[in-house]
Amino acid sequence: MPIGEAAAIEFADVSFRRPGGLRVLEHFNLSVAAGDVLALVGRSGAGKSTLLKLVNRLLLPDDGAVRVEGRDTREWPPVRLRRRVGYVLQDVGLFPHMTVSGNIGVVPRLEGWPPDRIANRIHELLGLIGLDAAGVADRWPDELSGGQRQRVGVARALAVDPPVLLMDEPFGALDPLTRAELHVEFHRIQDRLRKTVIIVTHDMGEAFALANRIGVLDDGQLIACDRPEAIAASPDPRVRRLLDAVPSIPRP
Amino acid sequence: MTALLAFWSAHRTELAALFGQHVLLVAISTTSAVAIGVPLGIFASRRPRLSAPIVGIANIVQTIPSLAMFGFLLPVPLIGGVGARAAVVVLILYGLLPIVRTTIAGLTGIDPSIREAGVAMGMTPGELLRQVELPLALPSIVAGVRVAAVVGVGAATIAAAIGAGGLGEYIYRGLSMVDTTVILAGAIPAALLALAVDGFLLVAERQLSARRRRGARRILAIAAVLLLAVMGASRLMARASHGAIVVGSKNFTEQLILGELVAQTIERHTDLPVERRLNLGGTLICDRAELTGDVDVYVEYTGTALTAIFRQPVAADAGTVYAAVRGLYARSGRTLLPPLGFNNTFAILVRGDDARALGLKTIDDAVRVAPTWRAGFGYEFLERPDGFRGLSQAYGLHFTAPPRVMDLTLTYRALAAKQVDLIAGDATAGLIKGLDLVQLEDNRHYFPPYDAAPVARSETLLRHPQLRAALEQLGGRVSAADMRAMNYAADVEHRDITEIVRDFLSR
């Protein structure tokens, strides 16, 4: 990170316990620079989703501070913070009672945009995520394929152009081909938009495909956080185990 | 079937008005139950610890028989009494349970990830409720409204017992006249209404679960138009009754005739508008209604007033009883007008065949054979101080089994059908002649006199001196024979009560 540039997102000595007392994060430190794509990799239960929820204040830390754009999440009004932070959920969470354009238009409507501006924005976003506006805008979520749903989820998160995007296992439920397609789309979009992105995944392969920085979580600690090449070369056995789990196809 | 069609066509204006009242009762109460039940359900779904007690209370309310509920509410100020207002309160209470329950179920059944998506997108709790939770819970809530509305259509028929009108009027009238045609005349439209409401809301529910919002809007629009049409039509039918003299009656044939008699007399001799609130549940309901001002005048029997209303000991002399009751009424702000001219005492009745075969003339005669007999009595006769207990003591009357309890008007049929052998009916009942029954003489003068006389609110009489004059000239005009003939015309010949009274008054 260049000196003097404030981190877009910063975890400073954060501890978090589940209500039952189970420790999830312990003295956790991490900073993400503006425009970076950080992939957090770890096994299920390593606290990855908790990390994201601490950023948009769905959860508050027991100790330490999470700062977004330099401001402690405790001091952010929750609604304003959340509208500056796009959130793509693991199971998409599209509203089943709204059409595609209804879903994408939710936050603009909450922000009180005039209807024609919302309509233009929906058209623009559908183009951005590579869906045919005329064919999809009035469809219902259950009429879409898994890949289309996921794209709509991304479009919805980007609707009011938030500077930060959080993605929780965004492409986990998709078949490998669709996933590869969306990885390409993601790069195309990110090249244009330059958001600060945190992606949470248990798949090291996906982390390499998407991120320019990779963090490895183990037992509530960040055991490595570096550029993908450096992670690939890590001698740490805990990192190596995750790397070894990436399938490599034997060539004839 | 032909009789039913003839009845409907002869009463089409009244039928339309009663149908309109019925729809209005159900519409108002269901709408209010939604307005109360949905917020209550939202509240309960947010506080799981409270939701069990809230549903529990609503459950208990639902198990109270509707007639009992009307009874509980009679003395309650503001929401109680008789008439449509009290009926709406009862119907709201019935509608609450299904609506609260389905609201809770609809809200707690929402996928948590969808709710989380809403929160994470920066929705305030209110925005989340309006834009996500309520729309998703709507099909479930509509299912509850459907149950509430159908239950409401059924329960509203019972509301006629407290003078709220609606199709139950025909059902009660038919029951008291033991006339299946009249019962069906009310029951069939009520059943059709229930089916229509059920079907319409079922379609609405399906459309809503298909999430076609435009469809939902169309359904709401259709519902609103239908409701407005029915309400408009019934308003046209209903006469403007504000400031009218309200005439009440109890729920058996003779009372319906006397209520109509009083109403037509007022209409003939004064220019006061009259509202008929006939067929009220019983003596105490009429009395309460008059005390609270919901009813201005009805016909009471002196012996009934003395023992059942004022709880005084039984007395034998007609003049003494009339004077005593007049004084008691005066103290509660009511005026007992001159007696109509007949004494509707309790009549101990047996089948004509039995009377002739066994040579029965007096109640004493029956005491001999009673130990092998069964008796059937109405509810009131078993409870009243001048009823069965005293009779049994005065005569030493005992039967093989405790008396069977049934609706008063059914006892005549039960006697004729040999299901029971002795009943206590009204001396003026038309069915006595119609079913060949014989009245045993009260040779020990156990029963007090039951002279029929109008009772009116003194305040109303003071405001309208012409009303008093009209009611006074009814004094002595109806003999026991007249009354029996009119009861016979209604109960046995199934003639229309309005006509019977019109013919009688124009004699």
Side-chain angles (χ1 to χ4, degrees), chain A residues 53 56 58 79 82-83 85 87 89 91 93-98 103 106-107 109-110 140 142-143 156, chain B residues 111 113-124 127-128 131-133 135-136 210-214:
Chain A
K53 290 179 185 174
N56 65 4
L58 290 178
V79 168
R82 287 169 194 154
R83 290 186 193 171
V85 177
Y87 189 45
L89 284 92
D91 31 19
L94 290 184
F95 298 128
H97 61 295
M98 296 181 186
N103 265 286
V106 168
V107 185
R109 278 200 305 276
L110 293 176
W140 300 87
D142 61 359
E143 297 168 345
R156 185 174 69 171
Chain B
D111 182 352
S113 74
I114 288 176
R115 196 177 274 128
E116 190 183 284
V119 176
M121 291 167 83
M123 288 186 176
T124 61
E127 288 164 345
L128 188 69
Q131 299 187 20
V132 178
E133 295 178 302
L136 288 175
R211 296 145 306 147
R212 301 292 184 264
R213 303 295 297 279
R214 258 156 286 150

Side-chain angles (χ1 to χ4, degrees), chain A residues 168-222:
Chain A
D168 190 349
E169 305 272 7
F171 310 124
L174 302 177
D175 65 90
L177 216 61
T178 312
R179 197 183 317 172
E181 235 176 79
L182 283 179
H183 287 169
V184 174
E185 292 287 338
F186 176 82
H187 280 295
R188 198 173 53 76
I189 295 171
Q190 176 61 5
D191 286 347
R192 281 179 55 190
L193 303 181
R194 291 274 149 226
K195 304 284 178 198
T196 307
V197 185
I198 303 181
I199 299 172
V200 147
T201 174
H202 56 264
D203 177 357
M204 191 59 100
E206 184 156 87
F208 277 97
L210 297 177
N212 61 3
R213 273 162 59 84
I214 295 177
V216 180
L217 269 176
D218 188 89
D219 199 22
Q221 304 281 332
L222 191 64

Side-chain angles (χ1 to χ4, degrees), chain B residues 184-201:
Chain B
L184 287 177
I188 290 175
L192 291 178
L193 181 62
L195 285 175
V197 167
D198 189 51
F200 180 77
L201 286 171

